[in-house]
Amino acid sequence: MDEMEEELKCPVCGSFFREPIILPCSHNICLACARNILVQTPDAESPQSSRASGSGVSDYDYLDLDKMSLYSEADSGYGSYGGFVSAPTTPCQKSPNGVRVFPPAVPQPPPQHHLLGHPGSLPPIPRNSCLTCPQCHRSLILDERGLRGFAKNRVLEGVVDRYQQSKTAALKCQLCEKSPKEATVMCEQCDVFYCDPCRLRCHPPRGPLAKHRLVPPAQGRISRRTSPRKISTCTEHELENLSMYCVQCKMPVCYQCLEEGKHGTHEVKALGAMWKLHKGQLSQALNILSDRATEAKEFLVQLRNMVQHIQPTDGPGRPLIVTSGWGTLKENGVEFEACLVAQCDALIDALNRRKAQLLTRVNKEHEHKLKVVRDQISHCTVKLRQTTGLMEYCLEVIKENDPSGFLQISDALIRRVHMTEGQWGKGTLTPRMTSDFDLTLDSGPLLQTIHQLDFIQMKVPSAPMLQLEECCTINNSATLSWKQPPLSTIAVDGYILELDDGNGGQFREVYVGTETICTVDGLHYNSTYMSRVKAFNASGVGQYSKTLAMQTSETGQSPCDMQTLATVAWFTFDPTSAHPDIILSNDNLTVTCNSYDDRVVMGNSGFSRGVHYWEITVDRYDNHPDPAFGVARVDVLKDVMLGKDDKAWAMYVDNNRSWFMHNNSHTNRTDGGVSEEATVGVLLDFTRGILIFLINDEQQGPVAFEGIEGLYYPAVSLNRNVQVTLHTGLPIPDFYTPGEADLSGSVC
C-alpha cells in the first residue's frame, strides 16, 4: 500500500488529510489548509454565478476567476492575483509533494486545533473570500456559508485512518503541533486521541467535557472500527439526511432539495442503487487498469533485459549473446566492439588512428541506447507506481459502506481511472530503442582510402507492413497503404508495389516511389487482385510484405449470356468538385441548386471500360426548366448547362421535348419530356463506345453519341427549380444487348 500514500496527502501541507473537503473540481483539501489559502477579493470582482452554493455551481464555472490566477507550469515560482491594486505580488508556497499554492492574503490567527471539529465555532470567513484549488488552479468565490458549503470527504478520511493504523502500532496524539507524542487516551465523544499534555490543555476534566468518556487508545481504535456508520446530512439543509441522487447534477440530495425545486425537473434515483452502480463501474474500470499495470510490469522486465544486453561484460573480449523474449541478439554492443577491435588490429598503423574515432562513436551510441532505455524504465516505473497507488486507493474506497460519501467522489475516481488507463495506450508499452547495433565495419577499401573509413549500412530494408485499416477498394479502384516495421533503423530509398492481373497471373509493378500509399485505378470489376510491396535501398531490395487480396465491385452477366460484363457500380454525387451553388442531401444522392442559372455536379467515380447504367428521378419540377443529364470530363465547366463546352455529352429536356448537346451543338430533337416523378436513365457502353438516354424506361431518340472512349464521370446540370435523386448499382435494361468486351486493357 506504499504507492497509495501520495493519494492520501494534502497538496497544500503535504501531510495526510485531516478533515478533507471536496471542491467542485473533485479535488480534496484539508479544512484547515483551505482556510490558510483563502484570499479576500473586492466586491466588484465577485461573480455571483460562481458562488459555492452546492448544485447551482458547475464544476468548471470559473471563467472570470481564472483571470485572477497568474501562475502556470512554466512560471518562475511566483504568482499573484492580477487586476487588484491592493493585491501585491507575493511568492508562491510549495508543498512537500511539489504543488504550488497561494500564500495567505492576510495573517492567520493561531491555530485552535480543539475547535476544528466544530465548524460553527470557527472565526467567520471574510465576505467575498476566494479559494483556488492548489492542483488544477481553478478559483471559486465562497458564499455566506463559507467552507461549510463544501461536502466533507468522509470516505477519504476513513481510508487515511485505516492506512495510518496499518503503518504504526502506537497511536499518536492528533493535536500535537510538531512531533506527535504517543496517545494515552481517546475521547469517545470527541473521537480524538490525546497525549497527556494535550488532554490537559484541550480536554480539561471540568465543565461539559467532564461528562465525556475517556478510554485507552487500543480500546478507542476498536470502538472506532465498530462504530455505526455516520449518516450524511445535506450541505444545504443541515438537518436533512441525504437519501436521493441527482443524475444530472451528479450529487446526493435530500427530499427538501427536491421540494424546493432546485432538482425538481432533474432525474433522481435511489441513493443505494446509485451507490451499487458506481461501485460496479469503478470496479470494472479498475479491472482494465489492472491489466494495464500487469502489462507495464512485464514491459519493465523487458526493458531491464535490454539494459543487460547493451551493458558490457566484465571479461574483455568475451562477447555476450543472450536469448530472451527479444530473441538472440547477435549484434549487441559488446560483440560490436570486439569485432571492431579485431578488424582494426588487422590493419596497419594508419587504421589505428581511425580506430580510436570509431570506438568513440560506438561508445556514444552505446551510452545513448542505455540512456534512452533507462529513462523509459524510470518513466514507466513512476507511472506504474502512481497507477498502483490509485488502484489501492480505489479498492479501499470500494470497501466503504457509506453510499453518499462514496457517490461524492465516485465520478471523479472513475474519470481518473479511465484517464490513467488511457495513459497506458498505444506506444507507452513499446520500447523507444532497440538493442541492436545496425552498423557493420567495411574492411575492404585499399590503404589509400583508410582516412575515409566510416560505417556503412550493409542491410537491405525489412519487409513493409500493410496497414489493413487503410486499404480498401471502391468500384474498380484499389487503395493500398503500408509502413516500415516499428523500431526499424534501416534507411529506405523507395518502395515497389506489385499487383497480379486479377486472374491469378504473374505480378507486375504498378508503382515505384517514396510514398507509402497508392491508389490503382482502371482495374477490372468483379476481380480479385493479389497485391504486395517491398522496399529497397542502396544495398538492395528487401523481402515482400504479406500478400493482400483486393476484391473490386461485383458485376453481372448480360441477358444474352455473352462474355461481356455489365458493370454494377455504386457511386454518389461529389460535393468537393460541385459548383458552390449546388445543394446536396440524402448522403449526396439528392441534389438541387440555389441559383436560377444552371450549375453542374458530377459523380465521385469515373468510368473507362465496361457497361454502366444509372437512373435519376425528378423529385421537383417547377416553371418548366431544362435540366441536363449525361457524362463529362473531370475539367468540365461547372457554371453553364451541361454540354455547352467540349468536355460534356448530355441530353437536356423540358416538359415536352429533348435535345442532345455537345460543344454547344444541339441535335436530334425528340418529343417527350419530363415532369415530377419522371425517371431519366443513362446507359454508357464502352464496349461499343456509345451513350444512350432513356425516359421512363423507354429509349429517348437514337443513340446519342458514338466514339466514347477515355475516362468519363456521370454529370447533371440544373437550377433551383429542379431537384433530382441518383440511383446506382442497377442492371442494364432488358432491351439492350451489350457488345463484345475489350479485355485487352492494362492496369492504369
Side-chain angles (χ1 to χ4, degrees), residues 40-41 43 48 51 125-129 142:
Q40 188 173 3
T41 61
D43 292 346
Q48 298 298 324
R51 297 283 185 183
I125 293 177
R127 185 182 178 189
N128 297 332
S129 293
L142 275 64

Side-chain angles (χ1 to χ4, degrees), residues 68-81:
M68 298 190 296
S69 177
L70 294 185
Y71 58 171
S72 67
E73 295 299 330
D75 66 10
S76 60
Y78 287 80
S80 65
Y81 284 105

Side-chain angles (χ1 to χ4, degrees), residues 469-486:
E469 65 276 6
E470 298 183 13
C471 297
C472 64
T473 58
I474 301 177
N475 291 329
N476 62 337
S477 299
T479 299
L480 294 98
S481 177
W482 59 89
K483 65 179 180 179
Q484 278 299 103

Side-chain angles (χ1 to χ4, degrees), residues 66 107 116 127 216 222 285 290 406 446 482 620 665-666 668 716:
D66 279 346
L116 285 176
R127 185 182 178 189
I222 296 175
S290 177
F406 178 85
L446 299 175
W482 59 89
R620 179 169 53 82
S665 174
H666 308 252
N668 296 101
V716 173

Side-chain angles (χ1 to χ4, degrees), residues 391-410:
M391 291 170 54
E392 292 180 356
Y393 171 57
C394 291
L395 291 174
E396 290 297 324
V397 170
I398 291 177
K399 295 177 183 178
E400 288 296 319
N401 294 323
D402 183 358
S404 59
F406 178 85
L407 290 173
Q408 287 176 329
I409 64 173
S410 59

Side-chain angles (χ1 to χ4, degrees), residues 4-38:
M4 184 177 62
E5 186 167 314
E6 290 301 320
E7 296 281 343
L8 308 181
K9 290 184 177 180
C10 175
V12 177
C13 63
S15 302
F16 288 106
F17 282 106
R18 294 185 61 186
E19 298 185 89
I21 58 176
I22 307 174
L23 302 180
C25 57
S26 300
H27 292 128
N28 300 281
I29 189 174
C30 296
L31 178 62
C33 295
R35 293 190 61 85
N36 289 338
I37 64 174
L38 285 177

Side-chain angles (χ1 to χ4, degrees), residues 583 590-594 617-625 627 629 674-678 718-725:
I583 301 174
T590 300
V591 62
T592 185
C593 180
N594 59 13
T617 57
V618 180
D619 304 328
R620 179 169 53 82
Y621 188 80
D622 303 328
N623 302 322
H624 309 302
F629 310 90
V674 296
S675 60
E676 191 170 317
E677 299 183 357
L718 42 70
N719 62 16
R720 65 182 303 167
N721 293 317
V722 185
Q723 176 176 301
V724 298
T725 297

Side-chain angles (χ1 to χ4, degrees), residues 133-403:
C133 175
Q135 290 184 281
C136 65
H137 311 318
R138 299 289 184 178
S139 301
L140 186 70
I141 296 294
L142 275 64
D143 60 10
E144 62 277 357
R145 295 175 300 164
L147 296 177
R148 289 179 298 168
F150 299 113
K152 292 184 178 180
N153 194 339
R154 295 189 313 278
V155 172
L156 176 58
E157 195 171 10
V159 174
V160 170
D161 186 52
R162 289 201 303 271
Y163 180 80
Q164 290 179 316
Q165 291 177 9
S166 66
K167 285 296 180 182
T168 175
L171 294 172
K172 300 296 184 180
C173 175
Q174 295 178 264
L175 297 183
C176 290
E177 295 183 359
K178 294 183 178 179
S179 300
K181 300 178 181 179
E182 186 173 345
T184 56
V185 295
M186 173 196 171
C187 177
E188 289 188 338
Q189 285 70 34
C190 299
D191 195 19
V192 175
F193 289 94
Y194 298 93
C195 64
D196 287 336
C198 291
R199 177 179 58 81
L200 295 175
R201 184 178 71 254
C202 303
H203 200 286
R206 59 181 179 273
L209 299 178
K211 298 181 180 180
H212 287 195
R213 183 188 177 195
L214 302 179
V215 297
Q219 181 180 346
R221 174 188 288 179
I222 296 175
S223 63
R224 254 190 186 182
R225 292 179 178 175
T226 58
S227 60
R229 190 177 68 200
K230 297 180 181 178
I231 302 300
S232 302
T233 58
C234 180
T235 56
E236 294 279 345
H237 315 97
E238 297 182 356
L239 299 180
E240 294 290 336
N241 295 334
L242 296 172
S243 56
M244 303 295 289
Y245 182 81
C246 179
V247 177
Q248 182 172 340
C249 299
K250 296 184 178 180
M251 62 178 296
V253 296
C254 66
Y255 278 106
Q256 193 168 344
C257 291
L258 301 179
E259 293 176 356
E260 290 181 356
K262 291 184 178 180
H263 306 273
T265 59
H266 297 175
E267 180 184 1
V268 294
K269 293 187 177 180
L271 196 65
M274 292 302 296
W275 176 37
K276 293 180 180 179
L277 175 63
H278 281 225
K279 272 198 173 185
Q281 292 177 352
L282 182 57
S283 299
Q284 185 177 7
L286 277 176
N287 289 335
I288 300 176
L289 184 60
S290 177
D291 294 338
R292 290 292 187 181
T294 302
E295 294 176 7
K297 291 178 182 178
E298 297 173 354
F299 180 63
L300 283 173
V301 173
Q302 294 176 343
L303 292 179
R304 292 189 177 98
N305 287 338
M306 289 183 64
V307 173
Q308 295 299 322
H309 302 330
I310 300 174
Q311 281 280 33
T313 56
D314 295 336
R318 292 162 53 191
L320 179 64
I321 299 179
V322 180
T323 301
S324 68
W326 300 90
T328 302
L329 305 176
K330 298 182 179 179
E331 294 183 7
N332 56 33
V334 176
E335 183 180 1
F336 188 78
E337 289 185 19
C339 180
L340 177 62
V341 172
Q343 289 178 334
C344 290
D345 289 343
L347 300 177
I348 59 177
D349 295 339
L351 285 176
N352 290 327
R353 293 190 297 269
R354 186 65 177 172
K355 179 176 65 176
Q357 300 176 5
L358 297 176
L359 283 174
T360 301
R361 181 172 173 182
V362 172
N363 290 331
K364 287 183 178 179
E365 179 72 10
H366 167 234
E367 293 172 359
H368 172 68
K369 289 178 178 290
L370 286 177
K371 182 179 183 302
V372 171
V373 177
R374 284 170 174 166
D375 288 347
Q376 192 172 11
I377 290 175
S378 176
H379 174 74
C380 191
T381 301
V382 172
K383 185 178 292 186
L384 178 61
R385 184 170 62 251
Q386 294 173 349
T387 300
T388 306
L390 177 60
M391 291 170 54
E392 292 180 356
Y393 171 57
C394 291
L395 291 174
E396 290 297 324
V397 170
I398 291 177
K399 295 177 183 178
E400 288 296 319
N401 294 323
D402 183 358

